[in-house]
Amino acid sequence: QIKPLSDSFIQEILQARRLVNDFLNQCLNEVLSYKPRLVVFTSTFHQHVAALSLAKRIKAQAPDVFIEFGGANCQGIMAIENIRQFPFIDAIMSGEGDQVFPEFVRRVLEKKPISDLQGVYTRDNIDASNHLNLNAPTLHNVDALPFPDYDDYFLEWETVRPHLNDSYQPRLLFETSRGCWWGERQHCTFCGLNGTEMAYRSKSATRALDELVYLAEKYPGYSVSVVDNILDMKYFKDLIPELAERQLNLELFYEVKANLRKEQIRLLRDAGITMIQPGIESFSNHVLEIMRKGVKGLQNIQLLKWCKEFGVTPFWNLLWGFPGETPDDYARMAEIIPLLTHLQPPESTATIRIDRFSPNFENPEQFGFEEVTPFPAYHYVYPLAVEAVANLAYFFTFKYFQPQDVESYTKSVREQILVWKSVSKTSALYFIDKGTTLQIWDLRPVAQQLFFTLTEPQRTFYMACDEIRSLYSLQQIAKELLNRELSIREIENILQPLIESGLILREENVFLSIAVPFTG
């Protein structure tokens, strides 16, 4: 369902459009002021049209300037189609350019042939079948990369800072790995990141730390966003403890997998990694299985709870619209969400799209899609043949092989998410352990009562379910901590009032308590 745009938004877009010509001329004049022989564009997702627009002007004004493109919008068939359609582009590099790029620059400046360089596309080689979808060589030793140099950026930053809102601050970008170790094992069906470089490679802890310290000392006072697709789990043994020891005060951001243990969340906090992006995407075991996420719904909730406890901010999203999901999946989520309003709500919710390079794109029929076509907006952006637009596009629409009414069965979840966002700052669910009793305060909108006092064995079981526990595990805990032999039925009866009060979640035969410790 396409929602109408507001008049104010349309006016903002039209105003921006009126400014484009002067802005591009300003960019053009600045680029040409350096009298360049080679101009290189790195294009990712929504940057492409802006990059093409400037490149076209440069070539028109200075035909002898060599123009090269690379980046996420320039891999495989996209690279070839860009060369075919845009005559102002002289060459495109597909894939990681770290190893090929220096030789490429040397040859361009010396006016030597470049068409034989692996991953480099020109009009001389785009029709050669042995070059199709061939990328530049992958860099395996990422320790060999140079330290980033942001001097030019900060020189420009100082010139524009007076014109910006004081609340805006740039963040340092820092890379410790490439690829995705989970995607190597089992590529999430909707993920189009990494393109053709899924192989996971990470820097040694020593190298990563040296680079981070260098950036912190050279550009003091700025937070750091790590651009990795996923945190290397080995860093919990070396890099992260060392960061905790050094206390660099950098407010680091990392993308992580959602199956982290509690001690690992504590380590992230201690190391200054106070913002994370976990791949949560759903609370339904069935939907997560369809996505090939490799986690359960309760694991995602467990992570949100521990983040709340340790003051780590998780930025996450909910996705739906996967072939094979059922209305029951979302009916259950609509029941759970009101119990979670004391935790961090999602940044956004959305029906999935199909992204280039994702399994959904590469094998749509296998995953339940048909009629995969570029987003309609591409045809307004590129006045080209349908096939050409399909080769340039990164985002695609689709139809389901078996029709499903996503808008209808997700309605209750969408409504609950809106409530969650509106009450999250005032909602609370916390406990204080008194040793023999556990006191719980429930300040969520769905609270059945304000205050609970748990005595044994409820107290021990509630504390044990701080992490996901099975009935068998709780039997063992009863033996070890309470010196009692309890049957499965007895344990279920003990926990049932806590489940009915929304203090514990149950999925099949596993349990998770969701209150967080009171921290004052």
Side-chain angles (χ1 to χ4, degrees):
Q1 182 179 355
I2 299 176
K3 297 179 181 179
L5 299 175
S6 68
D7 289 340
S8 61
F9 179 78
I10 293 172
Q11 291 305 314
E12 285 181 25
I13 296 299
L14 292 176
Q15 173 62 16
R17 185 177 184 179
R18 286 190 285 269
L19 299 173
V20 165
N21 193 58
D22 288 343
F23 173 72
L24 282 174
N25 284 334
Q26 180 182 339
C27 294
L28 171 66
N29 292 334
E30 181 166 353
V31 170
L32 294 182
S33 71
Y34 295 103
K35 296 181 172 53
R37 295 167 61 190
L38 168 64
V39 174
V40 178
F41 291 87
T42 299
S43 173
T44 303
F45 303 146
H46 302 90
Q47 299 169 338
H48 203 58
V49 174
L52 290 171
S53 299
L54 181 55
K56 182 177 181 180
R57 290 177 181 234
I58 293 171
K59 181 63 78 171
Q61 190 79 11
D64 292 336
V65 173
F66 194 101
I67 293 178
E68 190 256 0
F69 270 61
N73 290 323
C74 302
Q75 291 208 16
I77 192 63
M78 290 187 291
I80 294 170
E81 198 63 54
N82 272 283
I83 283 288
R84 285 177 179 154
Q85 300 299 334
F86 307 116
F88 47 86
I89 299 177
D90 296 299
I92 284 188
M93 190 171 296
S94 175
E96 297 179 1
D98 303 276
Q99 297 179 81
V100 172
F101 189 69
E103 174 63 13
F104 166 83
V105 172
R106 185 184 67 80
R107 292 196 192 183
V108 169
L109 296 181
E110 295 177 0
K111 297 186 177 180
K112 292 183 177 179
I114 58 172
S115 297
D116 62 318
L117 292 174
Q118 183 178 328
V120 174
Y121 292 89
T122 68
R123 283 170 190 80
D124 296 331
N125 67 12
I126 57 173
D127 294 323
S129 59
N130 63 326
H131 277 263
L132 186 63
N133 292 326
L134 183 65
N135 284 332
T138 298
L139 180 70
H140 297 289
N141 177 22
V142 288
D143 275 6
L145 290 166
F147 284 13
D149 186 335
Y150 296 129
D151 287 356
D152 287 349
Y153 174 87
F154 281 102
L155 281 174
E156 290 202 26
W157 164 246
E158 291 303 324
T159 66
V160 300
R161 186 205 296 259
H163 307 288
L164 299 177
N165 189 305
D166 291 340
S167 64
Y168 178 80
Q169 286 291 322
R171 300 180 65 88
L172 296 172
L173 302 183
F174 171 57
E175 178 186 59
T176 58
S177 70
R178 293 183 180 180
C180 179
W181 55 260
W182 176 252
E184 278 189 304
R185 304 175 195 176
Q186 186 167 263
H187 194 171
C188 298
T189 59
F190 62 90
C191 178
L193 298 179
N194 301 300
T196 51
E197 278 89 31
M198 184 64 73
Y200 191 69
R201 300 140 284 154
S202 64
K203 292 175 181 174
S204 65
T206 300
R207 164 56 203 268
L209 185 62
D210 287 347
E211 185 174 327
L212 189 56
V213 170
Y214 164 82
L215 289 173
E217 291 176 349
K218 188 168 185 180
Y219 311 106
Y222 294 101
S223 300
V224 178
S225 286
V226 183
V227 298
D228 302 20
N229 289 318
I230 194 167
L231 172 68
D232 190 338
M233 299 299 284
K234 296 195 298 291
Y235 286 162
F236 282 110
K237 298 178 181 178
D238 40 39
L239 176 61
I240 294 174
E242 184 64 24
L243 287 174
E245 179 72 22
R246 296 205 182 197
Q247 289 295 302
L248 297 175
N249 193 31
L250 293 175
E251 294 186 356
L252 285 156
F253 167 89
Y254 246 112
E255 293 194 37
V256 301
K257 193 164 173 60
N259 60 350
L260 297 180
R261 301 190 306 274
K262 184 170 187 175
E263 185 55 34
Q264 291 171 328
I265 301 293
R266 189 198 310 269
L267 268 173
L268 291 177
R269 188 272 315 273
D270 293 345
I273 302 171
T274 56
M275 292 170 283
I276 61 173
Q277 182 176 322
I280 287 180
E281 271 81 63
S282 184
F283 295 136
S284 164
N285 290 347
H286 180 225
V287 177
L288 289 165
E289 184 178 346
I290 292 172
M291 296 182 196
R292 304 199 304 204
K293 290 294 296 183
V295 295
K296 300 287 189 179
L298 279 190
Q299 286 178 286
N300 287 334
I301 296 169
Q302 178 178 261
L303 178 86
L304 292 177
K305 181 186 72 167
W306 288 339
C307 284
K308 177 77 171 183
E309 178 176 346
F310 293 118
V312 174
T313 302
F315 299 96
W316 62 282
N317 307 302
L318 270 181
L319 298 178
W320 46 64
F322 294 86
E325 65 186 20
T326 69
D328 287 345
D329 296 328
Y330 291 90
R332 173 58 179 155
M333 269 199 275
E335 293 174 357
I336 292 174
I337 288 171
L339 305 177
L340 307 179
T341 53
H342 60 301
L343 307 178
Q344 180 78 11
E347 292 295 301
S348 66
T349 60
T351 302
I352 62 164
R353 68 179 181 228
I354 291 185
D355 288 5
R356 187 180 292 277
F357 303 120
S358 69
N360 287 339
F361 177 80
E362 300 292 348
N363 300 288
E365 296 84 2
Q366 175 186 339
F367 293 102
F369 300 102
E370 60 182 6
E371 297 185 36
V372 176
T373 57
F375 264 38
Y378 282 112
H379 294 284
Y380 293 95
V381 174
Y382 300 117
L384 304 172
V386 171
E387 183 180 351
V389 173
N391 289 339
L392 291 169
Y394 212 103
F395 307 131
F396 296 81
T397 61
F398 56 87
K399 290 186 178 178
Y400 294 105
F401 186 75
Q402 295 290 340
Q404 51 193 69
D405 189 355
V406 178
E407 188 77 11
S408 174
Y409 64 68
T410 60
K411 180 181 178 182
S412 57
V413 172
R414 287 184 278 114
E415 291 172 345
Q416 293 295 344
I417 294 294
L418 290 175
V419 173
W420 187 355
K421 290 184 175 183
S422 69
V423 304
S424 62
K425 286 183 169 54
T426 55
S427 182
L429 177 64
Y430 59 86
F431 69 81
I432 297 176
D433 184 16
K434 295 291 189 177
T436 56
T437 62
L438 191 74
Q439 297 177 342
I440 300 178
W441 283 262
D442 192 350
L443 303 176
R444 298 169 297 174
V446 294
Q448 298 179 20
Q449 64 187 65
L450 174 64
F451 181 73
F452 299 81
T453 298
L454 306 189
T455 57
E456 299 297 1
Q458 278 188 333
R459 172 195 165 274
T460 292
F461 286 156
Y462 198 86
M463 296 295 286
C465 289
D466 177 53
E467 64 177 292
I468 298 166
R469 297 282 186 178
S470 67
L471 285 167
Y472 172 77
S473 173
L474 292 174
Q475 275 189 309
Q476 299 304 113
I477 286 168
K479 287 181 185 178
E480 296 169 7
L481 299 183
L482 301 173
N483 198 28
R484 294 175 62 176
E485 295 275 354
L486 294 174
S487 69
I488 293 295
R489 177 59 59 86
E490 287 175 316
I491 293 174
E492 288 180 314
N493 289 338
I494 290 167
L495 294 179
Q496 189 58 33
L498 304 178
I499 296 169
E500 292 174 356
S501 298
L503 304 179
I504 281 184
L505 296 179
R506 177 176 187 172
E507 289 290 345
E508 298 175 343
N509 288 320
V510 295
F511 304 82
L512 175 70
S513 60
I514 56 175
V516 297
F518 179 71
T519 58

Short mmCIF file of all heavy atoms in Angstrom, two decimals, residues 448-491:
data_model
loop_
_atom_site.label_atom_id
_atom_site.label_comp_id
_atom_site.label_asym_id
_atom_site.label_seq_id
_atom_site.Cartn_x
_atom_site.Cartn_y
_atom_site.Cartn_z
N GLN A 448 -0.60 -5.61 35.88
CA GLN A 448 -1.78 -6.07 36.59
C GLN A 448 -1.77 -5.59 38.04
O GLN A 448 -2.82 -5.43 38.66
CB GLN A 448 -1.87 -7.59 36.53
CG GLN A 448 -2.00 -8.12 35.11
CD GLN A 448 -2.06 -9.64 35.08
OE1 GLN A 448 -2.36 -10.29 36.07
NE2 GLN A 448 -1.75 -10.20 33.92
N GLN A 449 -0.58 -5.41 38.57
CA GLN A 449 -0.44 -4.82 39.90
C GLN A 449 0.92 -4.15 39.97
O GLN A 449 1.82 -4.47 39.19
CB GLN A 449 -0.61 -5.87 41.00
CG GLN A 449 0.45 -6.96 41.00
CD GLN A 449 0.13 -8.07 41.99
OE1 GLN A 449 -0.87 -8.78 41.84
NE2 GLN A 449 0.95 -8.20 43.02
N LEU A 450 1.07 -3.23 40.90
CA LEU A 450 2.29 -2.43 40.97
C LEU A 450 3.46 -3.18 41.59
O LEU A 450 4.60 -3.01 41.16
CB LEU A 450 2.01 -1.16 41.78
CG LEU A 450 3.22 -0.27 42.10
CD1 LEU A 450 3.81 0.30 40.81
CD2 LEU A 450 2.81 0.87 43.04
N PHE A 451 3.21 -4.02 42.58
CA PHE A 451 4.28 -4.57 43.40
C PHE A 451 4.07 -6.06 43.62
O PHE A 451 2.95 -6.51 43.88
CB PHE A 451 4.31 -3.83 44.75
CG PHE A 451 5.38 -4.28 45.69
CD1 PHE A 451 6.71 -3.95 45.47
CD2 PHE A 451 5.06 -5.04 46.81
CE1 PHE A 451 7.69 -4.38 46.35
CE2 PHE A 451 6.04 -5.47 47.69
CZ PHE A 451 7.36 -5.13 47.46
N PHE A 452 5.18 -6.81 43.51
CA PHE A 452 5.17 -8.25 43.78
C PHE A 452 6.28 -8.58 44.76
O PHE A 452 7.37 -8.01 44.68
CB PHE A 452 5.42 -9.05 42.49
CG PHE A 452 4.41 -8.85 41.40
CD1 PHE A 452 4.49 -7.74 40.56
CD2 PHE A 452 3.38 -9.76 41.21
CE1 PHE A 452 3.57 -7.56 39.54
CE2 PHE A 452 2.45 -9.57 40.20
CZ PHE A 452 2.54 -8.48 39.36
N THR A 453 6.02 -9.52 45.65
CA THR A 453 7.06 -10.08 46.50
C THR A 453 7.15 -11.57 46.23
O THR A 453 6.17 -12.31 46.44
CB THR A 453 6.77 -9.84 47.99
OG1 THR A 453 6.72 -8.43 48.24
CG2 THR A 453 7.86 -10.46 48.85
N LEU A 454 8.31 -12.01 45.73
CA LEU A 454 8.49 -13.43 45.42
C LEU A 454 9.28 -14.08 46.55
O LEU A 454 10.35 -13.61 46.94
CB LEU A 454 9.25 -13.61 44.11
CG LEU A 454 8.70 -12.91 42.86
CD1 LEU A 454 9.46 -13.38 41.62
CD2 LEU A 454 7.21 -13.14 42.70
N THR A 455 8.74 -15.18 47.07
CA THR A 455 9.44 -15.98 48.06
C THR A 455 9.93 -17.26 47.39
O THR A 455 9.65 -17.51 46.22
CB THR A 455 8.51 -16.30 49.24
OG1 THR A 455 7.33 -16.97 48.73
CG2 THR A 455 8.09 -15.03 49.96
N GLU A 456 10.68 -18.07 48.15
CA GLU A 456 11.18 -19.31 47.55
C GLU A 456 10.03 -20.29 47.31
O GLU A 456 9.08 -20.33 48.09
CB GLU A 456 12.23 -19.95 48.48
CG GLU A 456 13.45 -19.09 48.73
CD GLU A 456 14.27 -18.79 47.48
OE1 GLU A 456 13.88 -19.24 46.38
OE2 GLU A 456 15.28 -18.10 47.61
N PRO A 457 10.08 -21.07 46.23
CA PRO A 457 11.17 -21.17 45.25
C PRO A 457 11.04 -20.19 44.07
O PRO A 457 11.87 -20.18 43.19
CB PRO A 457 11.05 -22.61 44.76
CG PRO A 457 9.57 -22.88 44.82
CD PRO A 457 9.06 -22.14 46.02
N GLN A 458 9.96 -19.36 44.07
CA GLN A 458 9.78 -18.43 42.94
C GLN A 458 10.98 -17.50 42.79
O GLN A 458 11.42 -17.22 41.67
CB GLN A 458 8.51 -17.60 43.13
CG GLN A 458 7.24 -18.31 42.69
CD GLN A 458 6.05 -17.39 42.72
OE1 GLN A 458 6.00 -16.42 43.49
NE2 GLN A 458 5.04 -17.68 41.89
N ARG A 459 11.52 -17.02 43.91
CA ARG A 459 12.65 -16.09 43.83
C ARG A 459 13.83 -16.72 43.10
O ARG A 459 14.41 -16.11 42.18
CB ARG A 459 13.08 -15.67 45.23
CG ARG A 459 14.38 -14.86 45.24
CD ARG A 459 14.99 -14.76 46.62
NE ARG A 459 16.38 -14.31 46.51
CZ ARG A 459 17.42 -15.13 46.31
NH1 ARG A 459 17.22 -16.44 46.18
NH2 ARG A 459 18.64 -14.64 46.21
N THR A 460 14.22 -17.93 43.51
CA THR A 460 15.37 -18.59 42.88
C THR A 460 15.12 -18.85 41.40
O THR A 460 16.00 -18.62 40.56
CB THR A 460 15.68 -19.92 43.60
OG1 THR A 460 16.16 -19.61 44.92
CG2 THR A 460 16.74 -20.72 42.86
N PHE A 461 13.92 -19.30 41.07
CA PHE A 461 13.62 -19.57 39.67
C PHE A 461 13.63 -18.28 38.84
O PHE A 461 14.09 -18.26 37.70
CB PHE A 461 12.27 -20.27 39.53
CG PHE A 461 12.30 -21.72 39.94
CD1 PHE A 461 11.14 -22.36 40.35
CD2 PHE A 461 13.47 -22.45 39.93
CE1 PHE A 461 11.15 -23.70 40.72
CE2 PHE A 461 13.50 -23.79 40.30
CZ PHE A 461 12.34 -24.41 40.70
N TYR A 462 13.11 -17.19 39.43
CA TYR A 462 13.08 -15.93 38.68
C TYR A 462 14.50 -15.44 38.39
O TYR A 462 14.80 -15.02 37.28
CB TYR A 462 12.30 -14.86 39.44
CG TYR A 462 11.87 -13.72 38.54
CD1 TYR A 462 10.69 -13.81 37.81
CD2 TYR A 462 12.66 -12.59 38.38
CE1 TYR A 462 10.30 -12.80 36.96
CE2 TYR A 462 12.28 -11.56 37.52
CZ TYR A 462 11.10 -11.68 36.81
OH TYR A 462 10.73 -10.67 35.94
N MET A 463 15.36 -15.52 39.41
CA MET A 463 16.74 -15.10 39.22
C MET A 463 17.46 -16.01 38.23
O MET A 463 18.25 -15.55 37.40
CB MET A 463 17.47 -15.08 40.56
CG MET A 463 16.91 -14.07 41.55
SD MET A 463 17.13 -12.36 41.00
CE MET A 463 18.90 -12.16 41.30
N ALA A 464 17.17 -17.31 38.29
CA ALA A 464 17.81 -18.25 37.36
C ALA A 464 17.39 -17.98 35.93
O ALA A 464 18.19 -18.14 34.99
CB ALA A 464 17.45 -19.68 37.75
N CYS A 465 16.14 -17.53 35.74
CA CYS A 465 15.63 -17.26 34.39
C CYS A 465 16.06 -15.89 33.86
O CYS A 465 15.52 -15.42 32.86
CB CYS A 465 14.11 -17.39 34.37
SG CYS A 465 13.53 -19.09 34.52
N ASP A 466 17.04 -15.27 34.53
CA ASP A 466 17.67 -14.08 33.95
C ASP A 466 18.23 -14.42 32.58
O ASP A 466 18.25 -13.59 31.69
CB ASP A 466 18.78 -13.58 34.87
CG ASP A 466 19.51 -12.39 34.29
OD1 ASP A 466 18.84 -11.40 33.93
OD2 ASP A 466 20.75 -12.44 34.17
N GLU A 467 18.70 -15.66 32.42
CA GLU A 467 19.01 -16.18 31.09
C GLU A 467 18.03 -17.28 30.76
O GLU A 467 17.41 -17.87 31.66
CB GLU A 467 20.45 -16.69 31.01
CG GLU A 467 20.77 -17.87 31.89
CD GLU A 467 22.19 -18.35 31.69
OE1 GLU A 467 22.48 -18.88 30.60
OE2 GLU A 467 23.01 -18.18 32.62
N ILE A 468 17.86 -17.57 29.51
CA ILE A 468 16.85 -18.54 29.07
C ILE A 468 17.12 -19.89 29.71
O ILE A 468 18.25 -20.41 29.66
CB ILE A 468 16.85 -18.65 27.54
CG1 ILE A 468 16.49 -17.30 26.91
CG2 ILE A 468 15.88 -19.73 27.07
CD1 ILE A 468 16.79 -17.20 25.44
N ARG A 469 16.11 -20.45 30.32
CA ARG A 469 16.24 -21.73 31.02
C ARG A 469 15.16 -22.70 30.55
O ARG A 469 14.01 -22.33 30.33
CB ARG A 469 16.08 -21.54 32.53
CG ARG A 469 17.13 -20.67 33.18
CD ARG A 469 18.42 -21.43 33.39
NE ARG A 469 19.38 -20.63 34.15
CZ ARG A 469 20.58 -21.05 34.52
NH1 ARG A 469 20.97 -22.27 34.19
NH2 ARG A 469 21.39 -20.26 35.20
N SER A 470 15.54 -23.97 30.47
CA SER A 470 14.58 -25.03 30.18
C SER A 470 14.03 -25.59 31.48
O SER A 470 14.56 -25.35 32.58
CB SER A 470 15.27 -26.15 29.40
OG SER A 470 16.24 -26.79 30.22
N LEU A 471 12.96 -26.37 31.39
CA LEU A 471 12.39 -27.01 32.57
C LEU A 471 13.40 -27.95 33.22
O LEU A 471 13.52 -28.02 34.45
CB LEU A 471 11.12 -27.76 32.19
CG LEU A 471 9.89 -26.88 31.92
CD1 LEU A 471 8.80 -27.68 31.24
CD2 LEU A 471 9.38 -26.26 33.21
N TYR A 472 14.16 -28.67 32.39
CA TYR A 472 15.17 -29.57 32.94
C TYR A 472 16.23 -28.78 33.71
O TYR A 472 16.64 -29.18 34.80
CB TYR A 472 15.83 -30.37 31.81
CG TYR A 472 17.01 -31.19 32.28
CD1 TYR A 472 16.82 -32.38 32.97
CD2 TYR A 472 18.32 -30.76 32.04
CE1 TYR A 472 17.90 -33.13 33.42
CE2 TYR A 472 19.41 -31.49 32.48
CZ TYR A 472 19.19 -32.68 33.17
OH TYR A 472 20.26 -33.41 33.62
N SER A 473 16.66 -27.65 33.16
CA SER A 473 17.66 -26.82 33.84
C SER A 473 17.13 -26.33 35.18
O SER A 473 17.86 -26.31 36.18
CB SER A 473 18.02 -25.62 32.96
OG SER A 473 18.85 -24.71 33.64
N LEU A 474 15.85 -25.96 35.23
CA LEU A 474 15.27 -25.49 36.49
C LEU A 474 15.15 -26.63 37.50
O LEU A 474 15.27 -26.39 38.72
CB LEU A 474 13.91 -24.85 36.22
CG LEU A 474 13.96 -23.53 35.44
CD1 LEU A 474 12.56 -23.05 35.09
CD2 LEU A 474 14.72 -22.46 36.21
N GLN A 475 14.95 -27.83 37.02
CA GLN A 475 14.97 -28.98 37.93
C GLN A 475 16.33 -29.12 38.60
O GLN A 475 16.42 -29.35 39.82
CB GLN A 475 14.66 -30.28 37.16
CG GLN A 475 13.19 -30.57 37.00
CD GLN A 475 12.97 -31.95 36.42
OE1 GLN A 475 13.56 -32.31 35.39
NE2 GLN A 475 12.13 -32.74 37.07
N GLN A 476 17.39 -28.97 37.81
CA GLN A 476 18.74 -29.07 38.36
C GLN A 476 19.02 -27.94 39.35
O GLN A 476 19.66 -28.15 40.39
CB GLN A 476 19.78 -29.02 37.22
CG GLN A 476 19.65 -30.15 36.22
CD GLN A 476 19.72 -31.52 36.90
OE1 GLN A 476 18.74 -32.26 36.93
NE2 GLN A 476 20.88 -31.83 37.46
N ILE A 477 18.53 -26.74 39.05
CA ILE A 477 18.72 -25.59 39.95
C ILE A 477 18.00 -25.83 41.28
O ILE A 477 18.51 -25.48 42.35
CB ILE A 477 18.24 -24.31 39.26
CG1 ILE A 477 19.25 -23.89 38.18
CG2 ILE A 477 18.04 -23.17 40.26
CD1 ILE A 477 18.77 -22.82 37.26
N ALA A 478 16.81 -26.42 41.20
CA ALA A 478 16.07 -26.73 42.44
C ALA A 478 16.88 -27.69 43.31
O ALA A 478 16.92 -27.54 44.53
CB ALA A 478 14.71 -27.32 42.10
N LYS A 479 17.53 -28.66 42.68
CA LYS A 479 18.35 -29.61 43.44
C LYS A 479 19.56 -28.91 44.06
O LYS A 479 19.86 -29.09 45.25
CB LYS A 479 18.85 -30.73 42.51
CG LYS A 479 17.81 -31.74 42.10
CD LYS A 479 18.46 -32.79 41.21
CE LYS A 479 17.43 -33.77 40.66
NZ LYS A 479 18.07 -34.77 39.76
N GLU A 480 20.25 -28.10 43.26
CA GLU A 480 21.52 -27.53 43.70
C GLU A 480 21.34 -26.37 44.68
O GLU A 480 22.09 -26.25 45.66
CB GLU A 480 22.30 -27.04 42.47
CG GLU A 480 22.71 -28.17 41.53
CD GLU A 480 23.25 -27.66 40.20
OE1 GLU A 480 23.42 -26.42 40.08
OE2 GLU A 480 23.49 -28.47 39.30
N LEU A 481 20.37 -25.50 44.42
CA LEU A 481 20.24 -24.29 45.22
C LEU A 481 19.17 -24.38 46.31
O LEU A 481 19.27 -23.70 47.33
CB LEU A 481 19.93 -23.09 44.32
CG LEU A 481 20.98 -22.75 43.25
CD1 LEU A 481 20.57 -21.51 42.48
CD2 LEU A 481 22.36 -22.58 43.87
N LEU A 482 18.16 -25.21 46.08
CA LEU A 482 17.07 -25.31 47.04
C LEU A 482 17.03 -26.65 47.75
O LEU A 482 16.22 -26.84 48.68
CB LEU A 482 15.73 -25.06 46.34
CG LEU A 482 15.58 -23.71 45.64
CD1 LEU A 482 14.28 -23.67 44.83
CD2 LEU A 482 15.61 -22.58 46.65
N ASN A 483 17.88 -27.57 47.29
CA ASN A 483 17.92 -28.93 47.86
C ASN A 483 16.54 -29.58 47.83
O ASN A 483 16.11 -30.22 48.79
CB ASN A 483 18.46 -28.89 49.30
CG ASN A 483 18.92 -30.26 49.76
OD1 ASN A 483 19.32 -31.10 48.95
ND2 ASN A 483 18.84 -30.49 51.07
N ARG A 484 15.85 -29.39 46.68
CA ARG A 484 14.51 -29.94 46.53
C ARG A 484 14.39 -30.69 45.22
O ARG A 484 14.94 -30.27 44.20
CB ARG A 484 13.45 -28.83 46.58
CG ARG A 484 13.35 -28.13 47.92
CD ARG A 484 12.37 -26.97 47.88
NE ARG A 484 11.01 -27.38 47.57
CZ ARG A 484 9.96 -26.55 47.55
NH1 ARG A 484 10.14 -25.26 47.81
NH2 ARG A 484 8.75 -26.99 47.28
N GLU A 485 13.67 -31.80 45.25
CA GLU A 485 13.36 -32.56 44.04
C GLU A 485 11.97 -32.13 43.58
O GLU A 485 10.97 -32.39 44.26
CB GLU A 485 13.36 -34.06 44.34
CG GLU A 485 14.72 -34.62 44.73
CD GLU A 485 15.56 -34.99 43.51
OE1 GLU A 485 15.02 -34.91 42.38
OE2 GLU A 485 16.73 -35.35 43.69
N LEU A 486 11.90 -31.43 42.46
CA LEU A 486 10.63 -30.94 41.95
C LEU A 486 10.34 -31.56 40.59
O LEU A 486 11.24 -31.66 39.74
CB LEU A 486 10.64 -29.42 41.82
CG LEU A 486 10.73 -28.62 43.13
CD1 LEU A 486 10.87 -27.13 42.83
CD2 LEU A 486 9.51 -28.88 44.00
N SER A 487 9.12 -31.93 40.37
CA SER A 487 8.73 -32.47 39.07
C SER A 487 8.54 -31.35 38.07
O SER A 487 8.42 -30.18 38.44
CB SER A 487 7.43 -33.28 39.21
OG SER A 487 6.35 -32.39 39.49
N ILE A 488 8.49 -31.72 36.79
CA ILE A 488 8.23 -30.74 35.75
C ILE A 488 6.90 -30.03 36.01
O ILE A 488 6.80 -28.80 35.91
CB ILE A 488 8.20 -31.42 34.37
CG1 ILE A 488 9.58 -31.96 33.99
CG2 ILE A 488 7.67 -30.47 33.30
CD1 ILE A 488 10.63 -30.91 33.78
N ARG A 489 5.87 -30.79 36.38
CA ARG A 489 4.57 -30.20 36.64
C ARG A 489 4.63 -29.22 37.81
O ARG A 489 4.02 -28.14 37.76
CB ARG A 489 3.55 -31.31 36.90
CG ARG A 489 2.14 -30.80 37.25
CD ARG A 489 1.55 -29.92 36.14
NE ARG A 489 1.47 -30.61 34.89
CZ ARG A 489 0.44 -31.40 34.52
NH1 ARG A 489 -0.58 -31.57 35.35
NH2 ARG A 489 0.42 -31.98 33.34
N GLU A 490 5.37 -29.55 38.85
CA GLU A 490 5.47 -28.66 40.00
C GLU A 490 6.15 -27.34 39.62
O GLU A 490 5.72 -26.26 40.04
CB GLU A 490 6.25 -29.35 41.13
CG GLU A 490 5.46 -30.44 41.83
CD GLU A 490 6.29 -31.19 42.86
OE1 GLU A 490 7.46 -31.52 42.54
OE2 GLU A 490 5.78 -31.45 43.96
N ILE A 491 7.21 -27.45 38.81
CA ILE A 491 7.90 -26.22 38.38
C ILE A 491 6.99 -25.37 37.52
O ILE A 491 6.93 -24.14 37.67
CB ILE A 491 9.20 -26.58 37.63
CG1 ILE A 491 10.20 -27.23 38.58
CG2 ILE A 491 9.82 -25.34 36.97
CD1 ILE A 491 11.44 -27.76 37.91
#
